[in-house]
Amino acid sequence: MFIKHTLLPITEQLQRERVADFYHHMNERRSVRQFDARPVPKSIIEMIIKSAATAPSGAHKQPWHFCAVSNAALKAKIRMAAEAEEIENYNGRMNDEWLQDLKAFGTDENKPFLTIAPWLIIVFKQTYGLENDQRSQHYYVNESVGIACGLLLAAIHHAGLAALTHTPSPMNFLAQILNRPANEKPFLLIPVGYPASNCMVPDLQRKSIDQMATFFE
Ligand code: IYR
């Protein structure tokens, strides 16, 4: 079944304003590792997740599940398990080039943001569908869930909140702690909240348009 697509055209002038506004707004987004404990209402997180789930997906299978954790005991459990993996990573599992590349970000095995940030959103990808013990195919799962995460980060930023795309590795402990079904694999762990008042971020440069794009006219 098809329904009429209704997107009203806008003037070129308004279009120019909008693309510039959107770029400047998005260019202010930064990954944050120092959070304030200030709570964020559940209703805000719900709307952010709904925005993420507007993402396109292979055959519209919507192969994602979002776990939003504000429970202090669960956050502590997740932090303990993540730090246990990161101790291994920083002491042998990551090679010298990797450790060198991370120096600019000041990361280490300590992940206080996992208990300080008011919410942890754990994004799961569903490698296949599973309903009433019935398996079904999912398509382009990484692409679909990756796009949803991009929209999630944009929605978080649009809400005046900060996030970190955190990938403790391996991440299987998240599926265990959150008791997820066999078809779901952790994809990203995203602490969400307000940045700490003294929050610092690395002085990064983004690639210029010429460095990142080639036009064939
Ligand atoms: N997962 C580790 C290491 C790490 C890896 C990359 I690539 C980063 O951009 C940042 C960190 C950690 O979370 O510390």
Side-chain angles (χ1 to χ4, degrees):
M1 220 261 281
F2 284 81
I3 53 169
K4 178 120 183 57
H5 178 50
T6 46
L7 183 68
L8 293 177
I10 57 171
T11 63
E12 202 174 313
Q13 161 72 9
L14 183 56
Q15 190 172 59
R16 284 185 201 289
E17 282 171 23
R18 282 216 205 156
V19 289
D21 285 352
F22 188 70
Y23 161 67
H24 290 300
H25 178 57
M26 291 308 294
N27 197 33
E28 286 175 346
R29 189 204 56 78
R30 295 300 311 262
S31 291
V32 152
R33 292 187 167 79
Q34 293 145 301
F35 286 87
D36 195 280
R38 179 178 165 191
V40 172
K42 178 183 173 187
S43 58
I44 300 288
I45 299 298
E46 278 176 346
M47 288 305 280
I48 286 169
I49 291 172
K50 284 174 74 157
S51 298
T54 65
S57 61
H60 193 57
K61 294 290 182 176
Q62 306 175 81
W64 43 64
H65 190 85
F66 302 87
C67 288
V69 179
S70 65
N71 179 283
L74 265 185
K75 287 197 295 181
K77 214 168 167 181
I78 289 170
R79 178 177 172 183
M80 285 283 288
E83 288 180 336
E85 293 295 353
E86 295 300 351
I87 288 169
E88 302 291 327
N89 289 334
Y90 281 90
N91 295 283
R93 285 209 293 232
M94 293 191 290
N95 65 19
D96 288 345
E97 183 178 348
W98 196 345
L99 291 171
Q100 193 59 35
D101 280 340
L102 287 181
K103 283 230 165 88
F105 304 92
T107 60
D108 60 25
E109 60 269 41
N110 298 305
K111 306 297 176 193
F113 50 77
L114 291 175
T115 43
I116 296 171
W119 289 96
L120 305 179
I121 300 180
I122 299 93
V123 184
F124 288 86
K125 64 176 181 185
Q126 297 178 330
T127 51
Y128 55 93
L130 189 60
E131 257 168 65
N132 309 320
D133 282 338
Q134 273 296 111
R135 283 178 75 127
S136 59
Q137 291 192 106
H138 281 174
Y139 312 94
Y140 299 102
V141 169
N142 289 322
E143 291 84 347
S144 304
V145 181
I147 296 166
C149 286
L151 296 185
L152 186 80
L153 296 175
I156 291 166
H157 179 59
H158 193 57
L161 295 166
L164 175 69
T165 43
H166 182 39
T167 51
S169 124
M171 297 205 266
N172 296 342
F173 66 87
L174 290 166
Q176 280 161 15
I177 292 175
L178 299 170
N179 203 19
R180 298 312 304 161
N183 62 327
E184 291 187 8
K185 300 270 174 288
F187 190 79
L188 271 182
L189 167 50
I190 306 180
V192 183
Y194 291 93
S197 56
N198 57 349
C199 179
M200 303 290 282
V201 292
D203 185 15
L204 303 180
Q205 302 303 317
R206 303 202 201 275
K207 283 183 177 175
S208 71
I209 188 73
D210 294 335
Q211 286 172 316
M212 67 176 156
T214 306
F215 291 84
F216 300 85
E217 292 179 89

mmCIF file of all heavy atoms in Angstrom, residues 33 86 89-90 94 98 102 105 107-111 113 164-169, ligand 1:
data_model
loop_
_atom_site.group_PDB
_atom_site.id
_atom_site.type_symbol
_atom_site.label_atom_id
_atom_site.label_comp_id
_atom_site.label_asym_id
_atom_site.label_seq_id
_atom_site.Cartn_x
_atom_site.Cartn_y
_atom_site.Cartn_z
ATOM 1 N N ARG A 33 33.381 13.515 27.528
ATOM 2 C CA ARG A 33 33.704 12.455 28.482
ATOM 3 C C ARG A 33 33.495 12.874 29.930
ATOM 4 O O ARG A 33 33.620 12.070 30.836
ATOM 5 C CB ARG A 33 35.156 11.978 28.290
ATOM 6 C CG ARG A 33 35.364 11.255 26.976
ATOM 7 C CD ARG A 33 36.746 10.633 26.836
ATOM 8 N NE ARG A 33 36.749 9.707 25.710
ATOM 9 C CZ ARG A 33 36.834 10.063 24.438
ATOM 10 N NH1 ARG A 33 36.943 11.334 24.114
ATOM 11 N NH2 ARG A 33 36.809 9.148 23.480
ATOM 12 N N GLU A 86 38.453 -2.751 29.556
ATOM 13 C CA GLU A 86 39.375 -1.684 29.137
ATOM 14 C C GLU A 86 40.746 -1.828 29.789
ATOM 15 O O GLU A 86 41.763 -1.452 29.200
ATOM 16 C CB GLU A 86 38.777 -0.302 29.417
ATOM 17 C CG GLU A 86 37.532 0.010 28.611
ATOM 18 C CD GLU A 86 37.729 -0.012 27.098
ATOM 19 O OE1 GLU A 86 38.878 -0.100 26.611
ATOM 20 O OE2 GLU A 86 36.712 0.039 26.383
ATOM 21 N N ASN A 89 42.424 -3.902 27.470
ATOM 22 C CA ASN A 89 42.696 -3.187 26.215
ATOM 23 C C ASN A 89 43.929 -2.291 26.340
ATOM 24 O O ASN A 89 44.795 -2.285 25.466
ATOM 25 C CB ASN A 89 41.484 -2.345 25.796
ATOM 26 C CG ASN A 89 40.328 -3.209 25.332
ATOM 27 O OD1 ASN A 89 40.533 -4.326 24.878
ATOM 28 N ND2 ASN A 89 39.117 -2.704 25.458
ATOM 29 N N TYR A 90 43.950 -1.517 27.426
ATOM 30 C CA TYR A 90 45.052 -0.542 27.580
ATOM 31 C C TYR A 90 46.350 -1.213 28.018
ATOM 32 O O TYR A 90 47.398 -0.592 28.003
ATOM 33 C CB TYR A 90 44.657 0.564 28.565
ATOM 34 C CG TYR A 90 43.751 1.599 27.925
ATOM 35 C CD1 TYR A 90 42.365 1.447 27.959
ATOM 36 C CD2 TYR A 90 44.278 2.699 27.256
ATOM 37 C CE1 TYR A 90 41.524 2.371 27.353
ATOM 38 C CE2 TYR A 90 43.453 3.635 26.646
ATOM 39 C CZ TYR A 90 42.074 3.462 26.696
ATOM 40 O OH TYR A 90 41.254 4.378 26.092
ATOM 41 N N MET A 94 45.467 -3.401 22.838
ATOM 42 C CA MET A 94 45.619 -2.367 21.794
ATOM 43 C C MET A 94 47.113 -2.216 21.492
ATOM 44 O O MET A 94 47.928 -2.169 22.418
ATOM 45 C CB MET A 94 45.031 -1.030 22.278
ATOM 46 C CG MET A 94 43.529 -1.066 22.448
ATOM 47 S SD MET A 94 42.772 0.569 22.717
ATOM 48 C CE MET A 94 43.329 0.979 24.353
ATOM 49 N N TRP A 98 47.778 2.304 18.055
ATOM 50 C CA TRP A 98 46.439 2.622 18.578
ATOM 51 C C TRP A 98 46.557 3.480 19.850
ATOM 52 O O TRP A 98 45.906 4.528 19.990
ATOM 53 C CB TRP A 98 45.680 1.309 18.844
ATOM 54 C CG TRP A 98 44.203 1.476 19.025
ATOM 55 C CD1 TRP A 98 43.532 2.649 19.268
ATOM 56 C CD2 TRP A 98 43.207 0.451 18.987
ATOM 57 N NE1 TRP A 98 42.189 2.410 19.386
ATOM 58 C CE2 TRP A 98 41.960 1.072 19.209
ATOM 59 C CE3 TRP A 98 43.260 -0.933 18.785
ATOM 60 C CZ2 TRP A 98 40.763 0.355 19.255
ATOM 61 C CZ3 TRP A 98 42.057 -1.639 18.815
ATOM 62 C CH2 TRP A 98 40.830 -1.006 19.042
ATOM 63 N N LEU A 102 45.382 7.504 20.482
ATOM 64 C CA LEU A 102 44.393 7.894 21.507
ATOM 65 C C LEU A 102 44.931 8.945 22.469
ATOM 66 O O LEU A 102 44.166 9.524 23.254
ATOM 67 C CB LEU A 102 43.953 6.657 22.299
ATOM 68 C CG LEU A 102 43.033 5.687 21.552
ATOM 69 C CD1 LEU A 102 42.650 4.522 22.447
ATOM 70 C CD2 LEU A 102 41.779 6.400 21.051
ATOM 71 N N PHE A 105 43.238 12.228 23.064
ATOM 72 C CA PHE A 105 41.908 12.229 23.665
ATOM 73 C C PHE A 105 41.954 12.004 25.174
ATOM 74 O O PHE A 105 40.937 12.093 25.853
ATOM 75 C CB PHE A 105 41.029 11.153 22.999
ATOM 76 C CG PHE A 105 40.956 11.340 21.507
ATOM 77 C CD1 PHE A 105 41.858 10.694 20.668
ATOM 78 C CD2 PHE A 105 40.022 12.202 20.958
ATOM 79 C CE1 PHE A 105 41.820 10.894 19.297
ATOM 80 C CE2 PHE A 105 39.978 12.409 19.586
ATOM 81 C CZ PHE A 105 40.884 11.759 18.750
ATOM 82 N N THR A 107 42.205 9.354 26.912
ATOM 83 C CA THR A 107 41.401 8.238 27.436
ATOM 84 C C THR A 107 42.273 7.260 28.214
ATOM 85 O O THR A 107 43.485 7.152 27.980
ATOM 86 C CB THR A 107 40.708 7.468 26.290
ATOM 87 O OG1 THR A 107 41.710 6.942 25.421
ATOM 88 C CG2 THR A 107 39.777 8.361 25.506
ATOM 89 N N ASP A 108 41.654 6.553 29.126
ATOM 90 C CA ASP A 108 42.310 5.427 29.789
ATOM 91 C C ASP A 108 41.232 4.436 30.219
ATOM 92 O O ASP A 108 40.079 4.547 29.782
ATOM 93 C CB ASP A 108 43.193 5.897 30.969
ATOM 94 C CG ASP A 108 42.385 6.626 32.043
ATOM 95 O OD1 ASP A 108 41.158 6.370 32.139
ATOM 96 O OD2 ASP A 108 42.963 7.439 32.777
ATOM 97 N N GLU A 109 41.602 3.492 31.070
ATOM 98 C CA GLU A 109 40.650 2.426 31.422
ATOM 99 C C GLU A 109 39.565 2.874 32.415
ATOM 100 O O GLU A 109 38.617 2.130 32.674
ATOM 101 C CB GLU A 109 41.395 1.208 31.981
ATOM 102 C CG GLU A 109 42.206 1.462 33.229
ATOM 103 C CD GLU A 109 43.651 1.849 32.923
ATOM 104 O OE1 GLU A 109 43.884 2.623 31.972
ATOM 105 O OE2 GLU A 109 44.542 1.384 33.646
ATOM 106 N N ASN A 110 39.702 4.080 32.943
ATOM 107 C CA ASN A 110 38.694 4.574 33.905
ATOM 108 C C ASN A 110 37.538 5.224 33.159
ATOM 109 O O ASN A 110 37.760 6.105 32.324
ATOM 110 C CB ASN A 110 39.331 5.574 34.872
ATOM 111 C CG ASN A 110 40.425 4.916 35.676
ATOM 112 O OD1 ASN A 110 40.196 3.903 36.331
ATOM 113 N ND2 ASN A 110 41.628 5.461 35.583
ATOM 114 N N LYS A 111 36.326 4.801 33.466
ATOM 115 C CA LYS A 111 35.145 5.288 32.736
ATOM 116 C C LYS A 111 34.106 5.856 33.698
ATOM 117 O O LYS A 111 32.964 5.348 33.786
ATOM 118 C CB LYS A 111 34.537 4.134 31.901
ATOM 119 C CG LYS A 111 35.527 3.455 30.964
ATOM 120 C CD LYS A 111 36.062 4.407 29.915
ATOM 121 C CE LYS A 111 37.131 3.775 29.035
ATOM 122 N NZ LYS A 111 37.850 4.777 28.236
ATOM 123 N N PHE A 113 32.284 8.340 33.525
ATOM 124 C CA PHE A 113 31.059 8.838 32.876
ATOM 125 C C PHE A 113 29.953 7.789 32.855
ATOM 126 O O PHE A 113 28.779 8.106 32.725
ATOM 127 C CB PHE A 113 31.359 9.358 31.460
ATOM 128 C CG PHE A 113 32.149 8.427 30.587
ATOM 129 C CD1 PHE A 113 31.544 7.332 29.995
ATOM 130 C CD2 PHE A 113 33.503 8.650 30.351
ATOM 131 C CE1 PHE A 113 32.269 6.466 29.182
ATOM 132 C CE2 PHE A 113 34.240 7.794 29.537
ATOM 133 C CZ PHE A 113 33.617 6.691 28.952
ATOM 134 N N LEU A 164 28.608 10.591 24.304
ATOM 135 C CA LEU A 164 29.864 9.975 23.889
ATOM 136 C C LEU A 164 29.520 8.693 23.155
ATOM 137 O O LEU A 164 28.679 7.916 23.614
ATOM 138 C CB LEU A 164 30.729 9.648 25.122
ATOM 139 C CG LEU A 164 32.021 8.882 24.832
ATOM 140 C CD1 LEU A 164 33.019 9.760 24.067
ATOM 141 C CD2 LEU A 164 32.665 8.385 26.127
ATOM 142 N N THR A 165 30.123 8.478 21.994
ATOM 143 C CA THR A 165 29.959 7.181 21.333
ATOM 144 C C THR A 165 31.044 6.265 21.898
ATOM 145 O O THR A 165 32.199 6.326 21.496
ATOM 146 C CB THR A 165 30.124 7.322 19.805
ATOM 147 O OG1 THR A 165 31.242 8.171 19.542
ATOM 148 C CG2 THR A 165 28.891 7.914 19.180
ATOM 149 N N HIS A 166 30.631 5.457 22.847
ATOM 150 C CA HIS A 166 31.585 4.634 23.586
ATOM 151 C C HIS A 166 31.474 3.189 23.085
ATOM 152 O O HIS A 166 30.366 2.672 22.899
ATOM 153 C CB HIS A 166 31.249 4.717 25.078
ATOM 154 C CG HIS A 166 32.190 3.963 25.950
ATOM 155 N ND1 HIS A 166 33.541 3.926 25.733
ATOM 156 C CD2 HIS A 166 31.962 3.218 27.056
ATOM 157 C CE1 HIS A 166 34.109 3.178 26.669
ATOM 158 N NE2 HIS A 166 33.176 2.743 27.470
ATOM 159 N N THR A 167 32.644 2.594 22.850
ATOM 160 C CA THR A 167 32.651 1.210 22.359
ATOM 161 C C THR A 167 33.572 0.353 23.228
ATOM 162 O O THR A 167 34.668 -0.005 22.803
ATOM 163 C CB THR A 167 33.158 1.137 20.899
ATOM 164 O OG1 THR A 167 34.413 1.851 20.831
ATOM 165 C CG2 THR A 167 32.181 1.751 19.932
ATOM 166 N N PRO A 168 33.135 0.064 24.464
ATOM 167 C CA PRO A 168 33.964 -0.848 25.247
ATOM 168 C C PRO A 168 34.077 -2.141 24.463
ATOM 169 O O PRO A 168 33.116 -2.533 23.791
ATOM 170 C CB PRO A 168 33.158 -1.056 26.529
ATOM 171 C CG PRO A 168 31.756 -0.736 26.171
ATOM 172 C CD PRO A 168 31.829 0.285 25.070
ATOM 173 N N SER A 169 35.233 -2.739 24.505
ATOM 174 C CA SER A 169 35.359 -3.899 23.626
ATOM 175 C C SER A 169 36.089 -5.055 24.314
ATOM 176 O O SER A 169 37.097 -4.823 24.950
ATOM 177 C CB SER A 169 36.057 -3.430 22.344
ATOM 178 O OG SER A 169 37.196 -4.150 22.062
HETATM 179 N N1 IYR B 1 37.495 1.487 23.840
HETATM 180 C C1 IYR B 1 38.598 2.191 24.473
HETATM 181 C C2 IYR B 1 39.589 2.719 23.520
HETATM 182 C C3 IYR B 1 39.154 3.762 22.555
HETATM 183 C C4 IYR B 1 39.247 3.496 21.208
HETATM 184 C C5 IYR B 1 38.951 4.450 20.286
HETATM 185 I I1 IYR B 1 39.213 4.053 18.310
HETATM 186 C C6 IYR B 1 38.522 5.720 20.688
HETATM 187 O O1 IYR B 1 38.218 6.699 19.749
HETATM 188 C C7 IYR B 1 38.451 6.005 22.039
HETATM 189 C C8 IYR B 1 38.749 5.008 22.972
HETATM 190 C C9 IYR B 1 38.074 3.271 25.417
HETATM 191 O O2 IYR B 1 36.873 3.509 25.444
HETATM 192 O O3 IYR B 1 38.848 3.858 26.141
#
